[in-house]
Amino acid sequence: VERGDYCQGASGASSHMIHGGIRYLENGEFRLVHESVVERNRLLRIAPHYVKPLQTTIPVFSTFSGILNAPLRFLTHRSGRPGERGAVLIKIGLSLYDLFSRQGGSVPRHRFLGRRKALAELPALRPDVKYTATYFDASVHDPERLTLDVLRDGLAAGAHARASNYVSAVGITGAGEGAAVRLRDGLTGEEFDFAAEVVVNTTGAWVDATNGALGAPTRFMGGTKGSHIVLDHPELLAACAGREIFFEHSDGRIVLIYPIGDRVLVGTTDIDAGEDLEPVCTDAEIEYFFDLIRHVFPSVRVGRESIVYTFSGVRPLPRHDDTAPGFVSRDYRIEKAALPGGAGQGMLSLVGGKWTTFRALSEHLADEVLALLGHGRSVGTGELPIGGGRGFPTDEEGVQAWLKAHTGPGIDAHRAEILLSRYGTRAEDVIAYLAKGQDSPLKSTRELSVREIAWMAEHEQVGHVADVLIRRTSLAFRGLVTAELVQEVAQHLAPVLGWDPRRTRQEAQLALATLAHRHRSSAAAEGALV
């Protein structure tokens, strides 16, 4: 059960990267880096519809800086503002990274360029750049859709499997054999009891709050806030030359400028979150992002008018006392405890974790559950294709052949391309559904149709209008949501979800309010809906 929508929390507020975590080498987290690189390589194979190779370039402005300070940072993790990381230190890190990448990998090794060649490739870089170091990681443009694919695979694995969003755990009822978790349906307000042999708490930054609600208070978590902005800025997009720019800002924070389609993602901050587990991107953070852009691309002018979307989340990090946020481990651990009320085999709480290693930590967590239940693993997920990654075309020729095979009445090549990008090869199921009834594109966008909205509502557990705009599509992320689009989506969800006219208007207004408050979307400025 998920309190909000799937991928609504930290999972939907990531930097959209599947990466080995080169900077974790500095923390001495060699096990995590090795696991992360192996999982990155694995996801490129088993989820090729969403996980893509990402060329990454580090601009370097010194040669020997950081060599003496690095051991101090490694040993103390509390050294304050670091010295700049120079070419020698970065070369050592990337050489180790290449070594870790050998297992199951197909990405090229890193390469260094001197100033002249670096500026020839990236002419908008600061003219005092001394080197660039380029290597490959991976990206995930639609983490929300990857989440849905994993969820659907889990539900398809057995008739006993169930999952519900907008359902929260609010307490424990009864005791002994009669103990159960009290659940609340967030859409209807209904409460009901659910008995389980094992309760697994994977609520991220909310782990302590969830355990408290279940009568077993903990102090495991100490999350940090990370914010991002999305820009519609052709000049900055061109300056990136199709690659992520990954670098150290003047305060020592590792930041990124990352082209996604025709937009540019800029991030991220790393601030102790405190008690605010539903943060928003602040004006101060926006100014920080503009400053980091100027740090590497001084000639590129960026203003607030270019921002089309912002988002913030809380990393589910362990409590870290006086350790600097950037040095808090991104690794995970599993905490075991008795289930309050004395029922079942116990409760497991996941502390930490990151997108890149989700499959590995999930398998580890599942093994712990199976052990408590007295069972062993019968199926491994290591080479199991995820969702629409099954049979996904491996090259452009294959993509074109797939598109040609799936065009027809109501589905032209452009529409088929959108569906393949959104669903992977599961687009075949969507196309078959669209063909079974009268369909038409929305008036406000060619990227959605009336029957596709119905398909999402019937097959992807849509609860609110914002679910479609933010997590079932990338329309909000790319700044393509208008008040008209919000109203259209609400009207076409209404008959499938049983909304009356009053509820339909409320849902549209809720979507506009969410986009305005949490994501600084301009759609809300277009006027209230009638």
Side-chain angles (χ1 to χ4, degrees), residues 335-367:
E335 295 282 352
K336 300 178 182 179
L339 188 63
Q345 302 300 315
M347 181 166 66
L348 303 176
S349 297
L350 178 66
V351 180
K354 56 198 286 287
W355 244 118
T356 302
T357 56
F358 82 88
R359 190 216 61 85
L361 72 86
S362 298
E363 194 162 74
H364 181 186
L365 190 54
D367 286 341

Side-chain angles (χ1 to χ4, degrees), residues 121-428:
E121 284 193 354
L122 298 166
L125 277 179
R126 262 171 53 187
D128 63 335
V129 67
K130 288 194 172 184
Y131 313 91
T132 56
T134 298
Y135 64 102
F136 276 83
D137 258 329
S139 66
V140 54
H141 287 193
D142 297 291
E144 299 88 353
R145 294 223 56 92
L146 179 55
T147 299
L148 291 171
D149 253 11
V150 173
L151 177 74
R152 286 173 63 86
D153 284 351
L155 291 172
H160 59 285
R162 281 182 268 176
S164 295
N165 55 353
Y166 296 108
V167 174
S168 54
V170 296
I172 294 284
T173 61
E177 292 299 319
V181 178
R182 189 72 170 172
L183 300 177
R184 178 182 297 143
D185 186 325
L187 299 178
T188 67
E190 177 190 0
E191 293 192 0
F192 55 97
D193 294 335
F194 195 97
E197 285 296 306
V198 180
V199 172
V200 182
N201 179 359
T202 56
T203 55
W206 288 267
V207 159
D208 291 333
T210 302
N211 285 338
L214 295 177
T218 55
R219 286 174 52 81
F220 297 144
M221 308 307 297
T224 65
K225 174 190 179 184
S227 295
H228 300 77
I229 59 174
V230 181
L231 302 171
D232 181 2
H233 198 290
E235 184 184 1
L236 181 60
L237 184 69
C240 293
R243 64 186 77 181
E244 176 194 30
I245 309 299
F246 187 67
F247 61 99
E248 177 184 12
H249 195 23
S250 54
D251 61 355
R253 167 79 185 136
I254 302 299
V255 293
L256 56 92
I257 303 172
Y258 168 19
I260 296 183
D262 59 357
R263 300 291 187 259
V264 182
L265 177 66
V266 182
T268 172
T269 50
D270 201 357
I271 305 165
D272 281 321
E275 299 301 314
D276 184 10
L277 299 185
E278 296 187 3
V280 297
C281 184
T282 65
D283 289 340
E285 288 175 302
I286 289 174
E287 290 304 318
Y288 178 81
F289 295 140
F290 289 166
D291 186 59
L292 73 84
I293 294 170
R294 288 190 293 269
H295 183 74
V296 289
F297 295 128
S299 64
V300 177
R301 296 287 177 259
V302 181
R304 294 183 180 233
E305 69 280 358
S306 296
I307 298 174
V308 297
Y309 192 71
T310 72
F311 58 96
S312 298
V314 178
R315 301 175 182 88
L317 304 182
R319 189 169 296 276
H320 49 271
D321 299 322
D322 60 343
T323 299
F327 276 106
V328 181
S329 175
R330 267 53 173 177
D331 212 339
Y332 63 90
R333 71 178 194 268
I334 298 168
E335 295 282 352
K336 300 178 182 179
L339 188 63
Q345 302 300 315
M347 181 166 66
L348 303 176
S349 297
L350 178 66
V351 180
K354 56 198 286 287
W355 244 118
T356 302
T357 56
F358 82 88
R359 190 216 61 85
L361 72 86
S362 298
E363 194 162 74
H364 181 186
L365 190 54
D367 286 341
E368 296 283 348
V369 173
L370 288 168
L372 288 174
L373 296 174
H375 294 291
R377 171 176 297 281
S378 60
V379 177
T381 59
E383 296 303 323
L384 196 66
I386 294 175
R390 293 179 183 87
F392 191 79
T394 57
D395 53 30
E396 182 59 28
E397 183 179 353
V399 169
Q400 293 304 317
W402 191 97
L403 296 177
K404 184 177 181 180
H406 292 86
T407 55
I411 304 288
D412 59 19
H414 178 63
R415 178 72 170 133
E417 186 176 11
I418 289 173
L419 294 173
L420 178 63
S421 173
R422 184 172 292 154
Y423 301 99
T425 54
R426 274 189 169 147
E428 294 177 356

Side-chain angles (χ1 to χ4, degrees), residues 101-112:
S101 297
R102 288 180 182 176
Q103 185 175 339
S106 58
V107 299
R109 292 174 178 270
H110 79 275
R111 60 186 177 92
F112 257 78

Side-chain angles (χ1 to χ4, degrees), residues 5 145 148 422 456 460-461 467-468 470-473:
D5 189 19
R145 294 223 56 92
L148 291 171
R422 184 172 292 154
M456 288 177 177
E460 296 188 338
Q461 299 188 33
D467 298 344
V468 172
I470 298 174
R471 287 172 290 277
R472 306 304 185 278
T473 71

